[in-house]
Amino acid sequence: MRITVLGKSPSWQDVGGACSGYLVQDDSTTIVLDMGNGVFSKLRRFVDYVDVHAIVVSHMHADHILDLIPYSYALTYAPRQQPVPIPPWWKGTAAPAKPQLHIPEGGRDIFRRLAGAWGNEDLVENAFDLHEYKPDDELKIGTLEVRFASVPHYLPTHAVEVVSSVNGRGRVTYGADCSPNTDLVEFARDTDLLIIEATLPRPERTGMRGHLTPGEAGQHGRDAGARRLVITHLSDEMDQAWAKEEAEKAYGGPVEVAAEGATYEL
Ligand SMILES: [Zn+2]
Ligand SMILES: [Zn+2]
C-alpha cells in the first residue's frame, strides 16, 4: 500500500499548497482521504480523477471537503463524461465515472446547503455515488478495508483506518482533526503508520479544545505504539523544525513532517 500526501495545510493553505488530502493506493484500488481546498489539482498530478474508486471524508469542515465542489463539476461537465461524442473524446460514454463518496451522517445536507447557495443543491450527490457512514460501519472498497473511530473535535469527526487485503496487509491510521483523547490511541494501537494532526503551536487558550500540539501528537503516537509517525495539518507559518523536535521528544523516535508529494510505502 502506498500513501501520498496531496495536501497538509490546516484551514488556510501554505504557499502553493493544499488543505487535507491523502491518496491511498494498493495494486488495484485507489481512494482519497479528505478533499480540502486545493486538493483536486494536486490529485491530478498523481492519478486521473475518473480512476479514483472512492473518497472518504473524516468530517465536514471546509478544509476537508471544499474541493469536492470542483471535483463534482469535473465529473458532471468534463467532455469525456458525456454520452455524446465531443472532440477530442470521439466515443462519448454511456457509463461516466461516478466514484463512491463516503461522508459522515448529515453530510448530504451540508453539501445541499453549500452548493444550494448558488442554486446547485444536488451537485455533489449527482456527481458521486454518495453514502453517509456511521462510526461503526466497515467499508470494503475494492481491496481496501476502511474503519472509523469517533474523535473529539468541533463537529462529528472520525479517525480513519485503511488496511489493504493485498500487498502484505499494510495498515494506515489517519487521526483527522482532534483534541487530546484516548479513543485515537486505542484505534491506532500498533498501526504501521499514524498520520496525526499537529496544528497548534500551543494549546487553545479559551473554549473547548479541538486540536493537538506537535508534542501531544508525538505522545499519542508513543501511547499507541505506532510504528511510524507523520505529523500533519500544520501551517508553513509554523516552525517545522521546532514541530518535528517537539513531536520526536514525546514520541521517542524519528517523526516525519508531512510534505506535499511525500509517499509512504507499507
Ligand atoms: Zn482541518
Ligand atoms: Zn476540522
Side-chain angles (χ1 to χ4, degrees), residues 129-249:
D129 175 17
L130 188 147
H131 302 269
E132 292 189 345
Y133 65 78
K134 295 188 183 65
D136 55 357
D137 284 352
E138 294 187 9
L139 311 180
K140 226 178 149 2
I141 302 166
T143 47
L144 297 176
E145 298 157 14
V146 178
R147 277 176 283 274
F148 305 96
S150 295
V151 290
H153 192 46
Y154 302 108
L155 74 180
T157 300
H158 311 86
V160 184
E161 169 185 287
V162 185
V163 176
S164 173
S165 60
V166 295
N167 305 139
R169 291 193 68 81
R171 172 178 165 219
V172 59
T173 308
Y174 167 51
D177 291 359
C178 62
S179 60
N181 71 94
T182 52
D183 294 333
L184 177 58
V185 170
E186 290 311 316
F187 185 59
R189 181 75 61 204
D190 300 326
T191 191
D192 295 320
L193 171 67
L194 175 58
I195 302 175
I196 187 167
E197 70 127 290
T199 311
L200 303 173
R202 45 158 172 63
E204 295 91 341
R205 279 167 295 184
T206 56
M208 75 169 268
R209 296 212 52 196
H211 291 288
L212 303 174
T213 65
E216 289 167 341
Q219 190 63 49
H220 281 64
R222 184 189 186 98
D223 292 348
R227 297 199 172 88
R228 214 165 154 190
L229 190 67
V230 172
I231 57 171
T232 191
H233 204 266
L234 65 168
S235 170
D236 61 0
E237 296 181 83
M238 189 147 103
D239 184 334
Q240 312 282 298
W242 171 83
K244 181 176 161 69
E245 205 181 301
E246 286 287 300
E248 287 182 338
K249 257 193 291 182

Side-chain angles (χ1 to χ4, degrees), residues 1-5 23 25 46 193 228 230 256 259-266:
M1 184 162 62
R2 185 188 321 114
I3 295 95
T4 305
V5 178
L23 182 63
Q25 299 167 289
F46 296 97
L193 171 67
R228 214 165 154 190
V230 172
E256 292 167 68
E260 185 188 318
T263 62
Y264 309 104
E265 298 273 354
L266 302 181

